[in-house]
Protein backbone atom coordinates (compact mmCIF):
# COMPACT_ATOMS: atom_id res chain seq x y z
CA UNK A 1 0.00 0.00 0.00
CA UNK A 2 1.34 3.44 -0.94
CA UNK A 3 1.95 5.68 2.03
CA UNK A 4 0.05 8.92 2.37
CA UNK A 5 2.03 12.01 1.22
CA UNK A 6 1.05 13.83 4.37
CA UNK A 7 -0.34 13.03 7.85
CA UNK A 8 -3.92 11.85 8.08
CA UNK A 9 -6.46 14.08 9.90
CA UNK A 10 -8.12 12.83 13.11
CA UNK A 11 -10.62 10.01 13.03
CA UNK A 12 -14.06 11.14 11.86
CA UNK A 13 -15.74 9.93 15.07
CA UNK A 14 -13.44 12.09 17.18
CA UNK A 15 -14.25 15.11 15.01
CA UNK A 16 -18.02 14.53 15.06
CA UNK A 17 -18.11 14.07 18.84
CA UNK A 18 -16.15 17.25 19.64
CA UNK A 19 -19.11 19.27 20.89
CA UNK A 20 -20.59 16.55 23.08
CA UNK A 21 -17.25 15.70 24.64
CA UNK A 22 -16.49 19.37 25.34
CA UNK A 23 -19.80 19.72 27.22
CA UNK A 24 -18.91 16.65 29.25
CA UNK A 25 -15.54 18.16 30.11
CA UNK A 26 -17.21 21.34 31.34
CA UNK A 27 -19.33 19.26 33.71
CA UNK A 28 -16.27 17.34 34.84
CA UNK A 29 -14.51 20.61 35.61
CA UNK A 30 -17.39 21.72 37.83
CA UNK A 31 -17.26 18.43 39.71
CA UNK A 32 -13.46 18.27 40.03
CA UNK A 33 -12.79 21.14 42.40
CA UNK A 34 -11.83 18.81 45.29
CA UNK A 35 -9.19 17.14 43.11
CA UNK A 36 -7.84 20.47 41.87
CA UNK A 37 -7.49 21.61 45.48
CA UNK A 38 -4.55 19.23 45.78
CA UNK A 39 -2.49 21.02 43.16
CA UNK A 40 0.68 22.87 44.23
CA UNK A 41 0.14 26.55 44.88
CA UNK A 42 1.53 29.10 42.44
CA UNK A 43 4.49 31.38 43.07
CA UNK A 44 2.79 34.50 41.70
CA UNK A 45 4.65 34.70 38.40
CA UNK A 46 2.73 36.05 35.37
CA UNK A 47 1.02 33.72 32.90
CA UNK A 48 -0.29 34.88 29.52
CA UNK A 49 -2.95 32.91 27.62
CA UNK A 50 -3.20 32.86 23.82
CA UNK A 51 -6.46 31.57 22.29
CA UNK A 52 -6.83 29.37 19.22
CA UNK A 53 -7.90 30.41 15.75
CA UNK A 54 -11.28 32.15 15.90
CA UNK A 55 -11.15 32.42 19.68
CA UNK A 56 -10.85 35.43 21.96
CA UNK A 57 -9.87 36.01 25.58
CA UNK A 58 -13.21 34.75 26.86
CA UNK A 59 -12.41 31.24 25.63
CA UNK A 60 -9.64 30.90 28.19
CA UNK A 61 -11.23 32.95 30.98
CA UNK A 62 -12.07 29.87 33.11
CA UNK A 63 -8.45 28.73 32.97
CA UNK A 64 -7.19 32.20 33.90
CA UNK A 65 -9.69 32.36 36.75
CA UNK A 66 -8.42 29.08 38.16
CA UNK A 67 -4.78 30.14 37.76
CA UNK A 68 -5.43 33.45 39.54
CA UNK A 69 -7.19 31.68 42.41
CA UNK A 70 -4.30 29.25 42.61
CA UNK A 71 -1.61 31.87 43.07
CA UNK A 72 -0.56 32.98 39.60
CA UNK A 73 -0.92 36.30 37.82
CA UNK A 74 -2.85 35.16 34.74
CA UNK A 75 -3.30 37.69 31.95
CA UNK A 76 -5.29 37.72 28.68
CA UNK A 77 -3.51 38.58 25.48
CA UNK A 78 -5.80 41.62 24.89
CA UNK A 79 -5.68 41.31 21.09
CA UNK A 80 -9.33 40.59 20.42
CA UNK A 81 -10.42 37.65 18.31
CA UNK A 82 -7.74 35.50 16.74
CA UNK A 83 -9.22 35.83 13.27
CA UNK A 84 -8.17 37.80 10.15
CA UNK A 85 -10.22 40.65 8.77
CA UNK A 86 -9.29 39.74 5.22
CA UNK A 87 -9.72 36.69 2.98
CA UNK A 88 -6.88 34.16 3.16
CA UNK A 89 -6.57 32.23 -0.10
CA UNK A 90 -3.23 30.49 0.46
CA UNK A 91 -0.88 29.27 3.15
CA UNK A 92 1.33 32.29 2.46
CA UNK A 93 -1.56 34.56 3.45
CA UNK A 94 -2.11 32.50 6.59
CA UNK A 95 1.58 32.83 7.38
CA UNK A 96 1.37 36.61 7.04
CA UNK A 97 -1.53 36.65 9.50
CA UNK A 98 0.41 34.43 11.91
CA UNK A 99 3.50 36.66 11.78
CA UNK A 100 1.36 39.74 12.40
CA UNK A 101 -0.28 38.17 15.45
CA UNK A 102 3.08 37.04 16.86
CA UNK A 103 4.40 40.59 16.58
CA UNK A 104 1.31 42.00 18.31
CA UNK A 105 1.51 39.35 21.04
CA UNK A 106 5.19 40.18 21.55
CA UNK A 107 4.27 43.76 22.41
CA UNK A 108 1.77 42.55 25.01
CA UNK A 109 4.34 40.10 26.39
CA UNK A 110 6.91 42.87 26.74
CA UNK A 111 4.38 45.02 28.62
CA UNK A 112 3.74 42.25 31.15
CA UNK A 113 7.47 41.66 31.64
CA UNK A 114 8.11 45.40 32.08
CA UNK A 115 5.25 45.72 34.57
CA UNK A 116 6.11 42.70 36.72
CA UNK A 117 9.85 42.29 36.25
CA UNK A 118 9.27 38.53 35.95
CA UNK A 119 9.51 36.21 33.00
CA UNK A 120 6.11 35.15 31.70
CA UNK A 121 4.80 31.61 31.22
CA UNK A 122 2.84 31.29 27.98
CA UNK A 123 -0.13 28.94 27.54
CA UNK A 124 -1.27 28.69 23.93
CA UNK A 125 -4.33 26.76 22.79
CA UNK A 126 -4.28 25.31 19.26
CA UNK A 127 -2.98 28.02 16.90
CA UNK A 128 -2.24 30.15 19.96
CA UNK A 129 0.33 27.51 20.86
CA UNK A 130 2.18 28.24 17.61
CA UNK A 131 2.36 31.88 18.64
CA UNK A 132 3.53 30.93 22.14
CA UNK A 133 6.25 28.61 20.85
CA UNK A 134 7.51 31.22 18.42
CA UNK A 135 7.53 33.90 21.13
CA UNK A 136 9.61 31.60 23.30
CA UNK A 137 12.16 31.16 20.52
CA UNK A 138 12.35 34.85 19.65
CA UNK A 139 12.13 36.38 23.14
CA UNK A 140 13.59 34.01 25.76
CA UNK A 141 14.52 37.09 27.78
CA UNK A 142 10.80 37.59 28.51
CA UNK A 143 9.54 33.99 28.57
CA UNK A 144 9.81 31.57 31.47
CA UNK A 145 8.26 28.53 29.74
CA UNK A 146 5.79 27.59 27.02
CA UNK A 147 2.82 25.22 27.36
CA UNK A 148 0.83 24.33 24.25
CA UNK A 149 -2.62 22.71 24.20
CA UNK A 150 -3.66 20.71 21.14
CA UNK A 151 -1.37 22.74 18.89
CA UNK A 152 -0.73 21.68 15.26
CA UNK A 153 3.05 21.90 15.40
CA UNK A 154 3.47 19.75 12.29
CA UNK A 155 1.98 19.55 8.81
CA UNK A 156 -1.34 21.48 8.87
CA UNK A 157 -2.81 18.96 6.42
CA UNK A 158 -2.92 16.56 9.36
CA UNK A 159 -5.76 18.56 10.89
CA UNK A 160 -9.51 18.41 10.34
CA UNK A 161 -9.43 22.19 9.87
CA UNK A 162 -7.32 22.09 6.69
CA UNK A 163 -10.12 21.29 4.23
CA UNK A 164 -12.62 23.38 6.19
CA UNK A 165 -10.42 26.48 5.95
CA UNK A 166 -9.76 25.93 2.24
CA UNK A 167 -13.51 25.81 1.57
CA UNK A 168 -14.27 28.71 3.91
CA UNK A 169 -11.87 31.00 2.08
CA UNK A 170 -12.57 29.55 -1.36
CA UNK A 171 -8.89 28.85 -1.89
CA UNK A 172 -8.09 28.07 -5.51
CA UNK A 173 -4.45 27.17 -4.84
CA UNK A 174 -4.02 23.41 -5.49
CA UNK A 175 -3.08 21.46 -2.37
CA UNK A 176 -0.11 19.82 -4.07
CA UNK A 177 1.60 23.18 -4.69
CA UNK A 178 1.02 24.59 -1.21
CA UNK A 179 4.44 25.21 0.35
CA UNK A 180 4.24 24.23 4.03
CA UNK A 181 7.98 24.56 4.74
CA UNK A 182 7.67 28.16 5.93
CA UNK A 183 4.72 27.30 8.19
CA UNK A 184 6.66 24.48 9.86
CA UNK A 185 10.10 26.09 9.76
CA UNK A 186 9.59 28.25 12.86
CA UNK A 187 8.92 25.10 14.89
CA UNK A 188 12.07 23.23 13.87
CA UNK A 189 14.60 25.49 15.56
CA UNK A 190 16.42 24.77 18.80
CA UNK A 191 14.29 25.18 21.91
CA UNK A 192 15.31 28.36 23.74
CA UNK A 193 12.96 27.97 26.73
CA UNK A 194 11.31 24.92 28.36
CA UNK A 195 8.38 23.70 26.25
CA UNK A 196 5.57 21.37 27.33
CA UNK A 197 3.34 19.98 24.61
CA UNK A 198 -0.02 18.73 25.93
CA UNK A 199 -1.83 16.72 23.27
CA UNK A 200 -4.77 14.33 23.05
CA UNK A 201 -4.94 11.04 21.14
CA UNK A 202 -8.69 11.69 20.78
CA UNK A 203 -8.38 15.29 19.57
CA UNK A 204 -10.98 15.74 16.84
CA UNK A 205 -9.24 18.66 15.13
CA UNK A 206 -5.48 18.05 15.39
CA UNK A 207 -4.11 14.55 14.85
CA UNK A 208 -1.61 13.19 17.35
CA UNK A 209 1.04 12.96 14.64
CA UNK A 210 1.14 16.70 14.04
CA UNK A 211 0.51 17.72 17.69
CA UNK A 212 4.07 16.91 18.77
CA UNK A 213 7.41 18.67 18.36
CA UNK A 214 10.53 16.97 17.06
CA UNK A 215 12.84 18.13 19.83
CA UNK A 216 14.51 15.81 22.32
CA UNK A 217 14.21 18.31 25.17
CA UNK A 218 10.48 19.00 24.78
CA UNK A 219 8.17 17.51 27.41
CA UNK A 220 5.20 15.74 25.79
CA UNK A 221 2.14 14.94 27.93
CA UNK A 222 -0.85 13.00 26.64
CA UNK A 223 -4.35 13.58 28.01
CA UNK A 224 -7.78 12.39 26.97
CA UNK A 225 -9.48 15.58 25.82
CA UNK A 226 -11.50 16.99 22.97
CA UNK A 227 -9.91 19.85 21.07
CA UNK A 228 -12.67 22.26 22.08
CA UNK A 229 -12.33 21.23 25.72
CA UNK A 230 -8.60 21.75 26.26
CA UNK A 231 -9.10 24.96 28.26
CA UNK A 232 -11.99 23.45 30.24
CA UNK A 233 -10.73 19.96 31.02
CA UNK A 234 -9.78 19.28 34.69
CA UNK A 235 -7.15 16.74 33.61
CA UNK A 236 -5.51 19.44 31.52
CA UNK A 237 -5.67 21.85 34.47
CA UNK A 238 -3.79 19.36 36.64
CA UNK A 239 -1.06 18.99 34.02
CA UNK A 240 -0.78 22.76 33.63
CA UNK A 241 -0.60 23.27 37.40
CA UNK A 242 2.21 20.76 37.74
CA UNK A 243 4.22 22.24 34.89
CA UNK A 244 3.85 25.83 36.12
CA UNK A 245 5.01 24.78 39.60
CA UNK A 246 8.19 23.12 38.34
CA UNK A 247 11.40 25.13 38.78
CA UNK A 248 12.88 26.37 35.52
Amino acid sequence: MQSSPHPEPPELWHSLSEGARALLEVNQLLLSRPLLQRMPRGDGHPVMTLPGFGGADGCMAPLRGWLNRWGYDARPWNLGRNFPKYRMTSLDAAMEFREKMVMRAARELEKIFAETGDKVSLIGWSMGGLYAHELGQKHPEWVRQVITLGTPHGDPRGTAAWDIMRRLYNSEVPEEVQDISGWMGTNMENVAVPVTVIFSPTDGIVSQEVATLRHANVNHLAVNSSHMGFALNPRVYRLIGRQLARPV
Side-chain angles (χ1 to χ4, degrees), residues 5-197:
H6 56 75
E8 292 293 330
E11 293 183 17
L12 181 60
W13 165 246
H14 291 156
S15 299
L16 294 176
S17 62
E18 272 286 322
R21 289 188 290 138
L23 288 174
L24 178 61
E25 287 154 356
V26 171
N27 291 329
Q28 290 173 341
L29 179 62
L30 296 175
L31 297 173
S32 296
R33 290 188 177 183
L35 291 177
L36 293 176
Q37 294 292 328
R38 304 173 188 173
M39 296 303 303
R41 298 290 300 185
D43 60 2
H45 81 262
V47 180
M48 178 178 172
T49 60
L50 298 90
F53 186 75
D57 282 322
C59 297
M60 302 184 78
L63 174 58
R64 288 194 306 276
W66 178 73
L67 290 173
N68 283 326
R69 290 192 299 273
W70 219 241
Y72 294 98
D73 181 12
R75 309 286 188 94
W77 77 338
N78 289 322
L79 298 180
R81 191 164 299 280
N82 186 13
F83 196 80
K85 297 181 180 179
Y86 52 88
R87 180 185 173 199
M88 295 191 302
T89 58
S90 68
L91 201 58
D92 287 340
M95 192 67 197
E96 291 178 7
F97 171 72
R98 172 176 165 180
E99 291 173 350
K100 174 183 176 182
M101 298 307 292
V102 169
M103 287 190 294
R104 294 180 63 196
R107 291 194 288 269
E108 295 299 318
L109 171 63
E110 185 180 16
K111 290 178 185 177
I112 297 174
F113 176 78
E115 176 187 337
T116 65
D118 293 327
K119 288 189 175 183
V120 183
S121 289
L122 303 178
I123 302 178
W125 183 7
S126 194
M127 191 173 181
L130 295 179
Y131 305 160
H133 179 62
E134 195 166 342
L135 288 168
Q137 305 312 304
K138 292 182 175 180
H139 302 290
E141 71 277 14
W142 301 333
V143 178
R144 175 186 176 108
Q145 66 174 306
V146 170
I147 300 174
T148 68
L149 310 176
T151 292
H153 291 288
D155 191 329
R157 292 172 294 184
T159 69
W162 174 262
D163 286 336
I164 295 173
M165 295 306 298
R166 282 173 55 82
R167 291 185 176 91
L168 178 63
Y169 288 106
N170 298 316
S171 175
E172 299 177 354
V173 180
E175 181 174 323
E176 59 271 16
V177 301
Q178 293 272 16
D179 183 6
I180 65 168
S181 58
W183 183 268
M184 297 174 62
T186 54
N187 292 327
M188 301 305 290
E189 304 167 359
N190 293 328
V191 175
V193 298
V195 176
T196 298
V197 172

